[in-house]
Amino acid sequence: MSMHRVLTTLGCVLTVVLATAWSAAPPTESAAPVAATTVRTHDGPVRGAAHDGYRTFEGIPYAASPVGRLRWAPPHRPAPWSGVRDATKPASACPQPAGEVPGGSTDEDCLHLNVTTPDGVGPARPRPVIVWLHGGGFTTGAGTSYDAHRMATRGDAVVVTVNYRLGALGFLAHSGLPGSGTFGLADQQAALRWVRAEIGAFGGDPHNVTLAGESAGGYSVCTQLASPAAAGLFNRAIIESGPCTGRPDRPFAPSSVPLSTARTAGADLAAKVGCGSARDVLACLRSVNVSRLLAAQDTDQQPTHTTPLLPSDPAAAITAGRFHHVPVLIGNNHDEGNGWAAGIIQAGHPVTPDTWPDVVASFFLSPGQAKAIVREYPVHRTDGGPVFGAVIGDANFACPTARTDGLLAAHVPVWRYEFADKHAPPLTSDTPPFPLGAPHASELPYLFDLGGRPRDLTAAQHRLADTMIDYWTRFARTANPNGPSSPHWSRHTVLTLAPDRIAPTPTAQPRHHCTFWNTLG
């Protein structure tokens, strides 16, 4: 295995480790349900749980179970039910290896969503709706990991969190298979259609829907911006740490791949599970048990473009202005790459002045590029980890986010932020080899209670969390995040979000090393 593959795999494993940090915590006592509440949908009534100031409805099916002949098929309508469906407990996560979901999951009956509403909602005054797409590298994650009650109550919004097919089950491509490489994206669109049809019964406004996500979820928002089939399904977009201009040669941020590449990966998977030479390859694949598929699938998964659902790479579509023209809130974290750098170092790959050129060369195969990066980001005796983190963060997140901002802003209103709490709560219990600052995913505890457990935030961090929720939900309500009690956020600035500094910075001011990366290509 090449050094590039080793380090990238370690990075993907680290993402799972970060997710595990919030997965196993039981809900706090304050989140315990105190009463039942029933809402009628077109498929049948659902009974949720009433809490202190909000209601939750968990495990509502928005599509049929994708099993048997529906494995690797576009999502179908769920079967209606006659009795009242219990929606007080989470449904199964989509199949995935152990990580964010303790023990993983092999249950394909997973196309469910969860609704959180503030008390007092109703058809007379519908609230804005935020549909949240989870991250996890398109291989892990679940909507139920994100307890959205703070966003719902403080922001007076209805929040929907979604499961969608992951890994090979979500993104397999094979010749003759309609929907190749985009089943997970089709699931997201089916969830949005459910929201349009049903959310009014929960007090949400079907005509004011914000599609939001982080990491792979953020990149999913990019794909939906570029997908003709998503037209009219959402009115605004929030993209966290998932820039639309990701590329396969920058392997830490999500990106898409062409159909030809995805089909090659699909043929490799079929061969691994013993179906490569079968008379009917797809029938054979549909008979393979989930555990075997999970063991055989690649660590990296990407949606597929040059397909009916995603005709163009989102980067190309957005560059050409061919995307749904809705307002966008987009941003990244100041130290996106530090978590990966720390994990790779802890796995036995130190970054020193001597090893640094080889580490860079493992990711940037052009000798000229590697040498230029080493010159731009020199490593001295004690700063190898942070320098490696800066390269990952700048190349994969900060600079692509700035580029995405510029491309989008030529057509739609864009609000850009940078989360910069250098003392953000750690996402793992391990002691890192250097301070991580504000790494990938560290903004999430400021918006959600992950795994149902509030994060251990200081008073200043709680104020920052409230401010972020205010910005996010005002944007969802009016397409403008500004309000009377928060620092003004101009569309021509980058808003720094930190406990000691919430302030706009002109976008013309040099940030990170983006001029270098633009020159490098």
Side-chain angles (χ1 to χ4, degrees), residues 101-310:
V101 175
S105 172
T106 57
D107 189 351
E108 291 180 86
D109 184 13
C110 67
L111 298 185
H112 303 94
L113 51 75
N114 316 287
V115 181
T116 304
T117 72
D119 280 351
V121 297
R125 192 169 70 87
R127 270 53 166 191
V129 181
I130 298 174
V131 177
W132 179 259
L133 304 177
H134 67 77
F138 295 111
T139 58
T140 65
T144 51
S145 293
Y146 299 83
D147 178 337
H149 81 272
R150 287 191 287 119
M151 185 177 289
T153 55
R154 183 174 180 88
D156 197 28
V158 175
V159 184
V160 180
T161 64
V162 178
N163 289 353
Y164 54 93
R165 280 175 282 183
L166 302 166
L169 289 165
F171 299 98
L172 175 81
H174 194 277
S175 59
L177 181 61
S180 276
T182 59
F183 300 107
L185 303 182
D187 295 342
Q188 296 167 7
Q189 293 182 1
L192 287 167
R193 288 192 293 272
W194 183 96
V195 167
R196 185 173 59 184
E198 307 287 359
I199 206 63
F202 296 84
D205 184 350
H207 304 294
N208 187 1
V209 175
T210 296
L211 185 61
E214 183 267 346
S215 195
Y219 190 74
S220 293
V221 177
C222 296
T223 67
Q224 303 301 351
L225 283 169
S227 173
L233 294 180
F234 58 98
N235 309 92
R236 329 198 196 293
I238 297 176
I239 302 167
E240 301 179 25
S241 301
C244 302
T245 53
R247 337 182 328 194
D249 64 342
R250 306 283 169 85
F252 290 98
S255 62
S256 65
V257 295
L259 181 59
S260 58
T261 300
R263 282 180 172 172
T264 298
D268 290 344
L269 177 74
K272 286 181 183 177
V273 298
C275 294
S277 58
R279 176 177 296 179
D280 188 334
V281 173
L282 292 176
C284 179
L285 283 169
R286 287 182 170 126
S287 71
V288 175
N289 68 53
V290 171
S291 296
R292 191 175 180 192
L293 287 172
L294 293 177
Q297 71 182 19
D298 286 341
T299 303
D300 303 324
Q301 297 287 329
Q302 296 92 19
T304 304
H305 63 78
T306 54
T307 58
L309 188 144
L310 194 60

Side-chain angles (χ1 to χ4, degrees), residues 10 23 93 145 171-172 415 449:
L10 285 169
S23 62
S145 293
F171 299 98
L172 175 81
W415 310 84
D449 288 355

Side-chain angles (χ1 to χ4, degrees), residues 127-504:
R127 270 53 166 191
V129 181
I130 298 174
V131 177
W132 179 259
L133 304 177
H134 67 77
F138 295 111
T139 58
T140 65
T144 51
S145 293
Y146 299 83
D147 178 337
H149 81 272
R150 287 191 287 119
M151 185 177 289
T153 55
R154 183 174 180 88
D156 197 28
V158 175
V159 184
V160 180
T161 64
V162 178
N163 289 353
Y164 54 93
R165 280 175 282 183
L166 302 166
L169 289 165
F171 299 98
L172 175 81
H174 194 277
S175 59
L177 181 61
S180 276
T182 59
F183 300 107
L185 303 182
D187 295 342
Q188 296 167 7
Q189 293 182 1
L192 287 167
R193 288 192 293 272
W194 183 96
V195 167
R196 185 173 59 184
E198 307 287 359
I199 206 63
F202 296 84
D205 184 350
H207 304 294
N208 187 1
V209 175
T210 296
L211 185 61
E214 183 267 346
S215 195
Y219 190 74
S220 293
V221 177
C222 296
T223 67
Q224 303 301 351
L225 283 169
S227 173
L233 294 180
F234 58 98
N235 309 92
R236 329 198 196 293
I238 297 176
I239 302 167
E240 301 179 25
S241 301
C244 302
T245 53
R247 337 182 328 194
D249 64 342
R250 306 283 169 85
F252 290 98
S255 62
S256 65
V257 295
L259 181 59
S260 58
T261 300
R263 282 180 172 172
T264 298
D268 290 344
L269 177 74
K272 286 181 183 177
V273 298
C275 294
S277 58
R279 176 177 296 179
D280 188 334
V281 173
L282 292 176
C284 179
L285 283 169
R286 287 182 170 126
S287 71
V288 175
N289 68 53
V290 171
S291 296
R292 191 175 180 192
L293 287 172
L294 293 177
Q297 71 182 19
D298 286 341
T299 303
D300 303 324
Q301 297 287 329
Q302 296 92 19
T304 304
H305 63 78
T306 54
T307 58
L309 188 144
L310 194 60
S312 300
D313 179 5
I318 289 170
T319 299
R322 297 192 307 270
F323 64 94
H324 304 305
H325 288 187
V326 301
V328 177
L329 188 155
I330 187 171
N332 60 276
N333 297 348
H334 187 274
D335 306 296
E336 291 274 6
N338 278 0
W340 280 290
I344 290 168
I345 289 170
Q346 288 175 313
H349 299 275
V351 178
T352 68
D354 291 335
T355 65
W356 182 226
D358 290 336
V359 170
V360 172
S362 70
F363 287 100
F364 301 91
L365 303 182
S366 164
Q369 283 191 340
K371 289 178 180 177
I373 294 166
V374 170
R375 286 195 302 269
E376 184 74 12
Y377 294 81
V379 167
H380 304 292
R381 187 172 59 88
T382 59
D383 64 352
V387 172
F388 187 19
V391 169
I392 294 172
D394 290 356
N396 293 271
F397 294 97
C399 300
T401 297
R403 174 167 168 72
T404 301
D405 174 9
L407 293 171
L408 293 170
H411 303 275
V412 299
V414 180
W415 310 84
R416 182 169 150 221
Y417 73 88
E418 183 174 75
F419 178 78
D421 184 359
K422 62 183 178 182
H423 300 296
L427 295 178
T428 72
S429 58
D430 295 339
T431 301
F434 60 91
L436 299 186
H440 191 65
S442 59
E443 89 285 4
L444 292 175
Y446 294 71
L447 300 171
F448 301 95
D449 288 355
L450 301 174
R453 180 178 67 183
R455 279 291 165 182
D456 185 17
L457 302 178
T458 66
Q461 288 171 329
H462 274 292
R463 288 192 295 272
L464 174 60
D466 288 346
T467 300
M468 290 173 62
I469 288 173
D470 290 346
Y471 279 132
W472 267 233
T473 54
R474 281 195 299 257
F475 174 80
R477 180 171 291 103
T478 68
N480 186 332
N482 288 300
S485 60
S486 302
H488 185 75
W489 184 353
S490 166
R491 282 165 49 186
H492 304 290
T493 62
V494 179
L495 187 73
T496 298
L497 294 167
D500 59 346
R501 184 171 182 265
I502 300 175

